[in-house]
Amino acid sequence: EAGVTQFPSHSVIEKGQTVTLRCDPISGHDNLYWYRRVMGKEIKFLLHFVKESKQDESGMPNNRFLAERTGGTYSTLKVQPAELEDSGVYFCASSQFSGKGQDTEAFFGQGTRLTVV
Amino acid sequence: RKEVEQDPGPFNVPEGATVAFNCTYSNSASQSFFWYRQDCRKEPKLLMSVYSSGNEDGRFTAQLNRASQYISLLIRDSKLSDSATYLCVVTPYTNAGKSTFGDGTTLTVKP
């Protein structure tokens, strides 16, 4: 079974440009999360989709970041315009509701390393 | 103060050693607790969930103390392949919801 896949694996863009990151969750996983790790900091939550709906976007840093999950399948995270401080590794994760009140494992993609120069 | 704090590390230990990592969390409403492992330039992968009753998986033992808001991970008989960064992760909901990560503690096991 395919895991969580992210594209691209690396992206180098200039300040002011636009970049779109894509995440394909594990098939059938309703929960999709975006996280990022900037240099020297811990991994931080950005937002959470349940199917196509944004459940929690409290971690989005500002309105330059736009996440979508049309149709409840793959998700995109667009940064427009990119700033230097946006550099970091962006992780996507997905999980499935267990329906039994138990913990569900979140599977992470390998991340997109974004460098803004 | 960070929501999830871990031992700063790094830990450098010889093969066969026993090593313990500690983690504290500040949100008393937290429901689910995990240890993830992250290899260099790779994605985090679930190592084990942590329960109040404690749980063991081979050489790994995890403990949770809700009263003290404290989580631990014990690795016995360290192997070279255990070298990685260990992330303490806390989630407020049982089934879904955002996770809060600690900074991670890096372990290097040397021959």
Side-chain angles (χ1 to χ4, degrees), chain B residues 16-106:
Chain B
T18 295
V19 61
F21 302 137
N22 301 310
C23 172
T24 57
Y25 61 95
S26 59
N27 185 353
S28 59
S30 300
Q31 289 287 342
S32 301
F33 309 89
F34 309 92
W35 283 101
Y36 275 75
R37 171 195 168 126
Q38 186 175 23
D39 293 290
C40 189
R41 293 184 172 264
K42 297 284 189 179
E43 74 276 21
K45 289 186 178 178
L46 180 67
L47 179 65
M48 56 199 306
S49 301
V50 189
Y51 305 111
S52 297
S53 54
N55 47 308
E56 186 174 313
D57 183 3
R59 298 181 292 107
F60 298 83
T61 300
Q63 294 276 357
L64 166 65
N65 184 321
R66 285 187 184 268
S68 302
Q69 295 181 201
Y70 168 85
I71 305 158
S72 66
L73 176 68
L74 183 76
I75 305 176
R76 292 180 299 278
D77 189 23
S78 300
K79 310 291 184 190
L80 296 177
S81 57
D82 294 334
S83 298
T85 296
Y86 290 83
L87 302 164
C88 177
V89 180
V90 173
T91 302
Y93 308 110
T94 303
N95 277 346
K98 64 184 183 183
S99 294
T100 301
F101 284 74
D103 283 341
T105 302
T106 299

Side-chain angles (χ1 to χ4, degrees), chain A residues 9-82:
Chain A
S9 56
H10 293 83
S11 180
V12 181
I13 62 171
E14 292 184 351
K15 176 182 170 181
Q17 289 186 320
T18 297
V19 63
T20 300
L21 314 181
R22 173 171 170 144
C23 168
D24 286 77
I26 292 173
S27 178
H29 281 193
D30 289 336
N31 293 308
L32 187 150
Y33 309 88
W34 283 98
Y35 293 87
R36 78 171 177 178
R37 185 171 205 160
V38 297
M39 180 81 76
K41 301 279 188 180
E42 72 273 24
I43 296 172
K44 282 194 173 177
F45 168 85
L46 295 179
L47 87 159
H48 170 210
F49 283 100
V50 177
K51 297 185 179 178
E52 68 275 9
S53 300
K54 290 177 185 174
Q55 184 78 7
D56 182 346
E57 52 183 329
S58 60
M60 295 287 263
N62 51 61
N63 59 9
R64 295 185 294 102
F65 289 76
L66 175 65
E68 294 180 323
R69 192 182 181 194
T70 307
T73 53
Y74 71 91
S75 174
T76 57
L77 179 65
K78 184 194 299 189
V79 185
Q80 178 183 31

